[in-house]
Amino acid sequence: MTSQQGTVEYIVEQAGAAGSVTARKMFGEYGLYCDGILVGLICDDQLFVKPTEAGRAFVGTVEEAPPYPGAKPSLLIEGDRWDDGAFLAALIRLTAANLPRPKPKKAAATSKSAETPTP
């Protein structure tokens, strides 16, 4: 089962105060990003946030479950907590702040064969 577009849009909207919050389609589901950092996944209309010590302390007691078979457990944020935009934005902002920054992508290498010497 895949997530509904409306669910994804609602979560992104509710967490919007955290910064630049976006969702990208990944493997039939969605990755949730804050300021370019992958902070969670939306799978089967459920929100899974990457676990950090700060995130765990903020949410208190919460179920941890893998978003898909074979994945590491994440914080499973129940749907009734999505309605609290301030809570969701704070959790997403806190999670992003406690995850490593993505490595910059390397520039595309130019091919030497594309360069033709002039006679």
Side-chain angles (χ1 to χ4, degrees), residues 38-57:
L38 180 65
V39 293
L41 298 171
I42 302 169
C43 300
D44 295 329
D45 285 331
Q46 295 181 303
L47 174 59
F48 297 88
V49 175
K50 285 189 168 192
T52 63
E53 289 305 315
R56 283 186 180 107

Side-chain angles (χ1 to χ4, degrees), residues 80-105:
D80 59 340
R81 297 190 87 176
W82 304 349
D83 294 333
D84 184 350
F87 163 81
L88 197 55
L91 173 60
I92 298 303
R93 183 175 39 252
L94 189 60
T95 300
N98 285 275
L99 289 172
R101 301 282 167 235
K103 293 179 183 177
K105 294 183 180 181

Side-chain angles (χ1 to χ4, degrees), residues 3-13 30 42 45 82:
S3 297
Q4 297 177 35
Q5 186 66 35
T7 300
V8 175
E9 290 170 359
Y10 183 70
I11 291 170
V12 168
E13 179 182 319
Y30 294 86
I42 302 169
D45 285 331
W82 304 349

Side-chain angles (χ1 to χ4, degrees), residues 16 33 35 54-55 64 66 71 75-76 83 93 97 99 102-103 112:
Y33 293 80
D35 298 329
E64 291 193 32
L75 305 176
L76 177 58
D83 294 333
R93 183 175 39 252
L99 289 172
K103 293 179 183 177
K112 288 188 178 191

